Amino acid sequence: MAQTFLKPLDAGFLHESNEAYIFISSSQIEAELDVFLAALPGTPGETDREADQAQLIELSAWLLDGAPFVLLPSLGEMQRVVSQWNESQTQQVRYRLEQVRQALAAAARIQGKDFGQTDTFAVSPTWNRRWSDLLMGRLCPAYVGYVFAGDF
């Protein structure tokens, strides 16, 4: 009879099946955004600002949906993926990433009804899902509070 051994699960498999969120700072998101932008070929150019915003968001998220990254990719890995996009797609994603950068800056200044400013965000632990969500406009500020037990 052959022996059976337990094999460790791939971390990517665990993260892909996890619907939980992690908390990261805006500076961490911006560092990932910088790698993403650095991987895009060419120079920043003008994107048709009159383009339908919903179509732009859908295209950006769709292009990223095929990215095989569960964990933060290196610059070289990102370059291999984005090299398959045409120039128009690259410019549209670049424009959308700049919109995400602006949203991050704005979120740090927004004062909510019940909460103050924050630079901490709830995001997916899976890189491709996190960036697909961010490109879709799902930027979720994380407000962490507490209840003092002595009040009860």
Side-chain angles (χ1 to χ4, degrees), residues 122-151:
V123 296
S124 172
T126 307
W127 188 90
N128 57 354
R129 173 173 263 169
R130 171 166 56 244
W131 278 95
S132 182
D133 285 349
L134 288 170
L135 289 171
M136 290 291 288
R138 296 184 191 118
L139 183 62
C140 305
Y143 298 99
V144 180
Y146 69 96
V147 174
F148 182 62
D151 290 345

Side-chain angles (χ1 to χ4, degrees), residues 59-139:
L59 170 73
S60 299
W62 174 77
L63 287 170
L64 193 59
D65 199 33
F69 308 122
V70 174
L71 303 176
L72 178 65
S74 68
L75 179 59
E77 292 170 326
M78 275 301 298
Q79 287 172 329
R80 279 192 291 282
V81 167
V82 301
S83 68
Q84 299 170 20
W85 301 345
N86 66 39
E87 187 176 338
S88 173
Q89 292 170 330
T90 301
Q91 288 297 330
Q92 289 175 320
V93 169
R94 184 185 302 275
Y95 179 67
R96 186 64 184 148
L97 288 172
E98 290 300 336
Q99 287 180 317
V100 170
R101 186 185 302 278
Q102 292 171 4
L104 278 170
R109 295 188 306 269
I110 293 173
Q111 192 81 15
K113 177 183 165 211
D114 298 320
F115 298 102
Q117 301 166 345
T118 185
D119 79 332
T120 303
F121 297 90
V123 296
S124 172
T126 307
W127 188 90
N128 57 354
R129 173 173 263 169
R130 171 166 56 244
W131 278 95
S132 182
D133 285 349
L134 288 170
L135 289 171
M136 290 291 288
R138 296 184 191 118
L139 183 62

